[in-house]
Amino acid sequence: MSHETVYSIASGKGGVGKTTTTVNLGTALAQAGKRVAIVDVDLGMANLAGFVSLSPDSTTLHDVLAGNASVEDATYRLAENIVAVPSGIGLDEYAETSPEGLREVVSELRSTYDYVLLDVGAGISHETVLPLGLADAVVLVSTPEPAAIQDSRKTIELTARAGGTVAGLVLTRTHPGSDISHPDLADRLDLPLLETIPEDSAARESVYAGTPLVAYEPNGPAATAYRHLAAELAGIELAGTADDTDADDNDNTGDNDNTDTATAEDAAGSETEDGNSPESTDETSATDDVSSAITEAESDH
């Protein structure tokens, strides 16, 4: 699958770990040296902003789609090799957006980064269906629960109607001792099973810490599974040891040229993209704010 570089990470329902999968897949690819952009295309219920501490006047994807800013203006550096393009959370800004502009956004990012991951909103609307057809392939995320699997069928159908293809299924929060056959679940959807992400207590801890799981607990079972998923999609081998996360531990800023922002990994970031130091902030307060935002986002999605 290494020829595919733009993936929509989608689910039939919220709360199955779609954003967590997007962030950890992107981080694993970045740790392997790939240039990655993750984009929150859930325009109405944005949650990726929780991974980038934004001030009220920060530029977001909403501004880009309203024709008031460039993609570069809304791009924030998370760590080495990885950036985020968050959507805004204001209803007024949302009302001014034109989802059709996503085509140009994806095209521009595709030409700049090795991989572009689109975090797609759940539900049925033009803005959630459009990204399914813009990507090279869709990664469908679900838990093993019957309701989640049933809703996944709808996403498969929507992807086909949008002219897209589904790369396969990722099952999250799985239990090794369960009597549920994960391959059988994938077969019911007529999809290959890309990866199973086991239930891992470190996942919740990483949310509160405001750090992607693959950096927070790199050798844990869920982090290992996310690295396997990255290797499968990219057609590469990932070392996946604790040493691989050194760059993230030492370089955890989130910013663009216009706004001093903190990332989920280091809310008090130390360096901007152009090498200038940002204004000093209260580290503890900023970290608490970001962690709270991430926790809220994960609870909603």
Side-chain angles (χ1 to χ4, degrees):
M1 299 181 186
S2 58
H3 65 287
E4 297 167 339
T5 61
V6 179
Y7 287 96
S8 282
I9 315 300
S11 65
K13 65 189 298 293
V16 299
K18 174 175 52 62
T19 297
T20 297
T21 296
T22 304
V23 171
N24 281 285
L25 173 58
T27 303
L29 289 168
Q31 289 174 343
K34 302 298 182 181
R35 295 169 302 163
V36 181
I38 56 177
V39 188
D40 190 347
V41 296
D42 188 350
L43 303 179
M45 298 291 289
N47 54 43
L48 190 58
F51 289 86
V52 184
S53 183
L54 300 177
S55 62
D57 60 348
S58 294
T59 304
T60 69
L61 183 60
H62 282 179
D63 298 301
V64 178
L65 298 181
N68 298 325
S70 68
V71 177
E72 184 179 0
D73 292 334
T75 299
Y76 298 81
R77 186 168 176 266
L78 295 182
E80 186 175 2
N81 295 327
I82 185 168
V83 301
V85 181
S87 281
I89 57 176
L91 292 179
D92 291 339
E93 292 82 1
Y94 166 67
E96 296 178 3
T97 62
S98 173
E100 287 297 330
L102 286 173
R103 297 181 185 277
E104 184 176 344
V105 171
V106 171
S107 177
E108 183 172 338
L109 292 173
R110 182 195 292 274
S111 67
T112 305
Y113 297 93
D114 298 320
Y115 288 92
V116 179
L117 306 181
L118 309 178
D119 187 5
V120 183
I124 301 176
S125 68
H126 179 61
E127 66 193 43
T128 58
V129 176
L130 179 61
L132 301 177
L134 294 179
D136 295 328
V138 173
V139 173
L140 186 58
V141 180
S142 177
T143 60
E145 280 71 30
I149 294 296
Q150 183 60 39
D151 284 345
S152 294
R153 296 182 187 277
K154 301 174 186 176
T155 303
I156 295 172
E157 181 179 349
L158 290 173
T159 300
R161 294 189 178 189
T165 59
V166 180
L169 176 68
V170 173
L171 287 175
T172 61
R173 300 172 189 166
T174 62
H175 297 272
S178 172
D179 57 359
I180 298 175
S181 171
H182 301 139
D184 283 352
L185 292 180
D187 287 343
R188 292 180 194 176
L189 297 175
D190 196 23
L191 293 176
L193 180 61
L194 296 177
E195 191 61 59
T196 59
I197 313 297
E199 186 74 59
D200 188 339
S201 60
R204 174 58 62 180
E205 294 170 10
S206 73
V207 170
Y208 281 101
T211 305
L213 182 61
V214 294
Y216 179 81
E217 188 66 43
N219 296 316
T224 299
Y226 279 124
R227 289 199 305 275
H228 288 166
L229 174 62
E232 168 71 13
L233 294 180
I236 58 177
E237 289 190 15
L238 303 179
T241 64
D243 291 340
D244 292 335
T245 66
D246 287 347
D248 288 289
D249 292 338
N250 295 325
D251 187 8
N252 291 325
T253 55
D255 50 86
N256 66 7
D257 292 337
N258 300 322
T259 309
D260 291 336
T261 56
T263 68
E265 285 132 316
D266 186 349
S270 60
E271 185 179 11
T272 62
E273 274 187 339
D274 56 8
N276 297 323
S277 297
E279 298 178 1
S280 61
T281 60
D282 184 332
E283 284 192 35
T284 301
S285 176
T287 302
D288 288 345
D289 289 345
V290 174
S291 296
S292 296
I294 297 171
T295 302
E296 182 178 353
E298 289 300 310
S299 297
D300 293 341
H301 293 265

